[in-house]
Amino acid sequence: MDFTDTAFVLSARRHGEGDLILSCLTRAHGRHMGLVRGGAGRRSRATYEVGNAISVNWRARLSEQLGHFQAEMIEANIAHLMDDADRLSALSAAAGVIDATLPEREPHQDVYNDFAALIAGLVASVPDWGRLYLRWELKLLADLGFGLDLTRCAVTGATDGLVFVSPKTGRAVSRAGAGQYAERLLPLPAFLLADDAAADATALAQGLRLTGHFLHAHLLPTGGAEKRFSARDRLVERLTR
């Protein structure tokens, strides 16, 4: 069993003295893991930094085995972000979210393309990196079947004045429609609906709490995956300091 594909590094943890267990998002084979012999060595370790684009060859005797990766660098994306802590945090958070939520070995071409677009935007230093990141998380939820409906109020049908989201249904709610239940709803930042709305730190933190609720509710498996959300948690802390 073998394949060759392009991929983005999601995580790499040391295995033994000099090897790595690599988790990457491939174009055609989804999130895939494998052993990289010698990957933790001084000459090779930089290849496996989070967000880097690599060419991978995976081999195993049986399809259900962990298998082995051989990889070559395509683009050291993380090198472009080392002087920008905010964008670096966003890249690490996105990689951790994919690593924690995406089932292994299931092709998700849209997720791959959206992650590639996010990385390209962060590397290019596009304005409003926070808006870019939040919309990426919304797209991830939609790609995996849990998209939010922010088009109209779930109660009144109104298309304006949308300021909340139902934590149960993921549908927008206007202030008038919320009534006495407003405190039970999630705030909906205006910048997720209008390009001209400000995406300041408070709004970004609200947006991260909104998408985080649905990521945890629908996509985060139990049993250790929470640790891979740690980079996202640090991004929230960074915005709320």
Side-chain angles (χ1 to χ4, degrees):
M1 303 293 297
D2 71 283
F3 68 77
T4 299
D5 205 347
T6 57
F8 293 107
V9 176
L10 298 177
S11 65
R13 57 183 174 84
R14 184 181 289 271
H15 181 75
E17 292 188 5
D19 300 336
L20 292 175
I21 300 294
L22 173 67
S23 176
C24 59
L25 178 63
T26 67
R27 182 188 298 274
H29 300 84
R31 186 174 71 87
H32 217 286
M33 299 179 68
L35 179 71
V36 181
R37 296 199 182 279
R42 186 174 299 176
R43 293 183 179 181
S44 302
R45 187 64 183 88
T47 300
Y48 304 104
E49 295 290 346
V50 169
N52 283 349
I54 56 177
S55 173
V56 296
N57 177 259
W58 178 84
R59 293 178 180 271
R61 287 194 305 110
L62 300 173
S63 61
E64 62 268 22
Q65 292 178 327
L66 176 64
H68 296 81
F69 273 129
Q70 289 184 326
E72 294 183 0
M73 180 82 79
I74 296 176
E75 182 65 41
N77 290 311
I78 198 170
H80 301 293
L81 302 174
M82 295 305 293
D83 294 329
D84 192 325
D86 288 337
R87 294 171 193 270
L88 182 60
S89 294
L91 174 60
S92 299
V97 168
I98 294 173
D99 206 22
T101 60
L102 208 64
E104 193 179 358
R105 304 189 183 189
E106 289 186 8
H108 286 280
Q109 184 74 54
D110 288 343
V111 176
Y112 179 91
N113 291 340
D114 292 340
F115 189 46
L118 173 66
I119 292 175
L122 293 173
V123 168
S125 297
V126 299
D128 288 343
W129 65 268
R131 188 193 306 263
L132 178 72
Y133 179 85
L134 256 298
R135 288 185 171 170
W136 173 79
E137 283 199 345
L138 286 172
K139 187 66 165 56
L140 177 67
L141 285 164
D143 288 342
L144 299 181
F146 300 100
L148 308 188
D149 182 358
L150 307 180
T151 58
R152 63 185 65 250
C153 176
V155 180
T156 67
T159 58
D160 56 359
L162 305 177
V163 292
F164 300 110
V165 175
S166 166
K168 293 184 178 180
T169 67
R171 298 180 65 189
V173 180
S174 66
R175 192 175 304 279
Q180 61 182 332
Y181 299 102
E183 293 184 357
R184 302 182 186 181
L185 303 176
L186 300 168
L188 173 59
F191 77 87
L192 290 180
L193 301 176
D195 290 337
D196 58 352
D200 58 19
T202 299
L204 287 174
Q206 287 180 337
L208 284 168
R209 293 190 185 99
L210 172 65
T211 52
H213 170 83
F214 293 100
L215 288 169
H216 278 274
H218 299 302
L219 295 175
L220 188 64
T222 57
E226 292 86 353
K227 293 181 180 179
R228 285 172 278 177
F229 251 51
S230 59
R232 188 185 186 280
D233 294 337
R234 288 194 295 271
L235 180 61
V236 175
E237 292 173 2
R238 188 176 191 85
L239 290 169
T240 54
R241 280 192 304 212

